[in-house]
Every structure is written in structure tokens, then in C-alpha cells.
Amino acid sequence: MSLLFSPIKIKDIVLKNRIVVSPMCQYSSFDGFANDWHFVHLGSRAVGGAGLVITEAAAVSPEGRISPDDLGIWKDEHIEGLQKITAFIKANGAEAGIQLAHAGRKASVSSQWKGGKLVSEVDGGWQVVGPSEIPFNDTYGLPKALTKVEIKTIVNDFKLAAERSLKAGFSVVEIHAAHGYLIHQFLSPLSNLRTDEYGGSFENRIRFLLEIIEEVKTVWPETLPLFVRISATEWAEGGWNEDDSIKLAHILKSIGVDLIDTSTGGNIHYAKIPVAPAYQVSYAQNIKKETGILTGAVGLLTTSTQIESILVTGQADLIFLARELLRDPYFPLRAAAELGQKDVQWPVQYERGKFR
Ligand SMILES: Cc1cc2nc3c(=O)[nH]c(=O)nc-3n(C[C@H](O)[C@H](O)[C@H](O)COP(=O)(O)O)c2cc1C
């Protein structure tokens, strides 16, 4: 049996295989609501055979959106549309996860196809916030440094969002602490120059993330998986690095986080990233080896043999795929055939299309 198609139990949830739909912003919401696009986009990847389908970054507050068109989960009215999606995903043999996020200083920009520019307040944008008054680069907004009261409010927003996620039928929550968004901004000594208990030392910079996890855990059941996505390095001198990530992973494991979804980059605009096939996998491998926590590998993973070998060599426990699943939502069914996994179930409606 291929490892890719062997089930994995995390807390009380069993994923039928190790393929995860990596979170992917769709910039297709109005006022944060999920709509037919999200239903078809996420639903077809469940039909395509992924074991776990995670939504795009869902904003925990309106100011936490990257663009005005982001998905959100900051009000109870958002629950119903998401419920329809999670029910369909589950009915098609996959589990449903949601990524909870706040974009911080990288917020209030338009999607790439609308120009990827700062959206001013008159055009529906908003004042961006961050740990310190340092913009991502000179095309992004100048963040207002969060007060301690505002930090507590955002921590609470994550908790409320997790509570709504449960009501919406998700069985996995992933906290987005990567890619230069708000939590990552706090982690990094390059974007966090605070002098209070949220800045300075490693312990202070991780405090915001730990407080979020602590609050989320008051509403998210012990029986359901909690993932955290991090940027294991920011590829910049003096920035957050692999040693920091391993140190953090030890702590996250000890407070009940189940898996580190191991990405990199996104916080430093001048970083030089050596992009190549599987270029982030060694970070998942080292975090797993050093701490024993489950890891997810992500980034330029595109073939069945490549991802099977990542699992077989013990570098990661789950494989997160983004662009390959945009090209081919049925990649998991194709990969099963390529790996000789004939017993993988196809949707009955599609059985006549099965590879023989
Ligand atoms: C269209 C698109 C949207 C994305 N949106 C998110 C997101 O909402 N949250 C996130 O953590 N990563 C996001 N990513 C990054 C992916 O989850 C993934 O980490 C990255 O694309 C590398 O994987 P890949 O080589 O399989 O595409 C996005 C990527 C793409 C292509």
C-alpha cells in the first residue's frame, strides 16, 4: 500500500489519505461570505479525492482581510454558507478544514487581477495594523502599531472565529502564522520592534501566537486537530529562521498543536528565495525530526512519486498541494492510479472514467 493513500488518524479524525488542499485565496467573496464559487472550488477538490480540504485564509475580522474580496468568518451570518460546503466535502469522503487569518500590515490591497494595489479608505480599504509602524514595502500601507487592548481584541477574534468554524462543521482549524501576515509579523524581529511584552525576546515575539492558541483551545474541542502554518525561515539576515521554528514547534507541541504546516517566506520584501521543486521540504523534515510533531510539507510538489517518497523517507506526514490541484482537481485519483493503488474509491458517478 502506498503511504500517500494510507489513512492517518489525528486526534479523533481519520483522513483517508495524506493529500491536503493547501489554503488558496480566491478573492471572490462579498462582505466575507462564501458563495457558489467556494462551494464548487472546494467541493470539486473533495470529489477529486483529497483527504482534507482546507479553505483559503478566512479573515477573523474585516480588517484582517488581505483584500476586500476575501473570505471571512467574523460574524455568525457567515456560518450558513460554510456549512453547506463542509457538508458536501464530508459527504464526498473528505474532511473539511479552515485557515483562520489576519493579514495585519499586508491588508487592504486588491487581488492580483484587480491590480494588486493598496486600496484606499474611500475605495473600501482600511487602516492597516501591525506590531510596529513598519510597512511591508513602500507600496503597502503604513501600519498603525496595535495597542495591547487591540491585541487582546484580535486574540478574541480568533477564538470567536474558531467557535464559528465548529458550528460551520469544520473538523480541522489551521492558524495562519506564516507568509508575513499578522502573526508572522509578531514572530519576526525584522517586523516587530515593540518594547512591551509582545516584542524583543523570542518569548515575547511568540506571545501573540501562544495567546491565540490558548484562546482557540477554549472553544475548539480536544478531539479535533489544530494545525499551525508557519514560515520556517524568512530567508533574510537577522530574521526568523529554522532554529526559531524548531524552538517554537517544541512549544506548540507541548500546548497541544497537532501539526506544523511548514511553509517559508512572505514577510521580507527583499528576501531572495531559492525556489525549486520541493525546496521547503527539509524544513518540515527537520521540525519533525527535532520535535516529533507531525508536519505537513508544501511548495512545488507536483508528482505522485515525489510526494510518496517524501512520506516514505519520513520527511513529513501530510502533503499540502496548491497549484497542482488548481491545474487538476482530480490529481489524487490520478496519483492513486500511478502508484498502483487500485482500491481508491472514485465517486460512483465518475466510476466509468476510472483508470484501468
Ligand atoms: C491562488 C493561491 C492562493 C493562495 N492563498 C493562500 C492562503 O490563503 N493561505 C496560505 O497559507 N497560503 C496561500 N497560498 C500558498 C499555498 O497554500 C502554497 O503554500 C503555495 O502555493 C506553495 O504550494 P504549491 O507549490 O503546491 O502551489 C496560495 C497559493 C495560491 C497559488
Side-chain angles (χ1 to χ4, degrees), residues 22-25 56-57 99 176 179 229 298-300 321-323:
S22 199
M24 280 184 279
C25 287
E56 67 198 89
Q99 188 183 53
H176 195 354
H179 300 169
R229 173 168 269 200
V298 67
L300 280 174
L321 300 177
R323 287 164 291 182

Side-chain angles (χ1 to χ4, degrees), residues 10-231:
I10 309 178
K11 296 265 176 72
D12 280 5
I13 295 300
V14 178
L15 305 179
K16 67 179 173 184
N17 63 45
R18 311 300 181 95
I19 300 177
V20 181
V21 179
S22 199
M24 280 184 279
C25 287
Q26 299 295 296
Y27 306 116
S28 299
S29 294
F30 179 74
D31 193 24
F33 283 90
N35 56 39
D36 287 352
W37 177 263
H38 303 89
F39 181 76
V40 172
H41 164 66
L42 296 166
S44 42
R45 276 140 194 92
V47 170
L52 172 61
V53 180
I54 304 188
T55 69
E56 67 198 89
V60 300
S61 64
E63 303 74 33
R65 292 173 294 178
I66 302 168
S67 82
D69 307 323
D70 284 20
L71 188 67
I73 185 151
W74 65 80
K75 51 185 174 183
D76 290 349
E77 289 80 356
H78 288 145
I79 294 172
E80 193 182 337
L82 293 168
Q83 245 162 6
K84 189 177 151 200
I85 295 172
T86 60
F88 184 84
I89 289 172
K90 287 182 185 191
N92 285 277
E95 291 293 334
I98 183 165
Q99 188 183 53
L100 302 181
H102 191 300
R105 68 176 182 168
K106 284 174 81 176
S108 194
V109 292
S110 58
S111 63
Q112 269 161 9
W113 65 81
K114 289 186 179 173
K117 294 216 168 64
L118 187 67
V119 182
S120 68
E121 289 183 46
V122 281
D123 290 328
W126 54 93
Q127 168 65 52
V128 302
V129 297
S132 305
E133 288 185 9
I134 310 169
F136 176 67
N137 68 21
D138 56 14
T139 70
Y140 278 76
L142 178 67
K144 178 185 166 302
L146 288 163
T147 64
K148 285 199 238 175
V149 171
E150 289 165 338
I151 288 174
K152 296 283 180 214
T153 302
I154 296 175
V155 168
N156 194 50
D157 289 339
F158 272 90
K159 170 183 149 178
L160 296 176
E163 208 169 14
R164 290 185 196 105
S165 302
L166 189 65
K167 288 187 184 147
F170 290 101
S171 47
V172 176
V173 154
E174 173 167 286
I175 293 168
H176 195 354
H179 300 169
Y181 297 112
L182 185 62
I183 300 175
H184 183 176
Q185 293 158 29
F186 271 86
L187 296 178
S188 169
L190 299 177
S191 46
N192 179 353
L193 301 185
R194 297 178 75 93
T195 52
D196 62 6
E197 66 265 39
Y198 291 97
S201 65
F202 172 86
E203 286 68 27
N204 283 355
R205 283 180 280 115
I206 68 170
R207 189 179 309 279
F208 179 52
L209 171 60
L210 298 192
E211 285 183 359
I212 287 170
I213 293 169
E214 196 180 328
E215 281 303 308
V216 164
K217 278 170 62 75
T218 63
V219 295
W220 189 247
E222 266 301 315
T223 49
L224 295 180
L226 178 60
F227 295 179
V228 175
R229 173 168 269 200
I230 63 167
S231 286

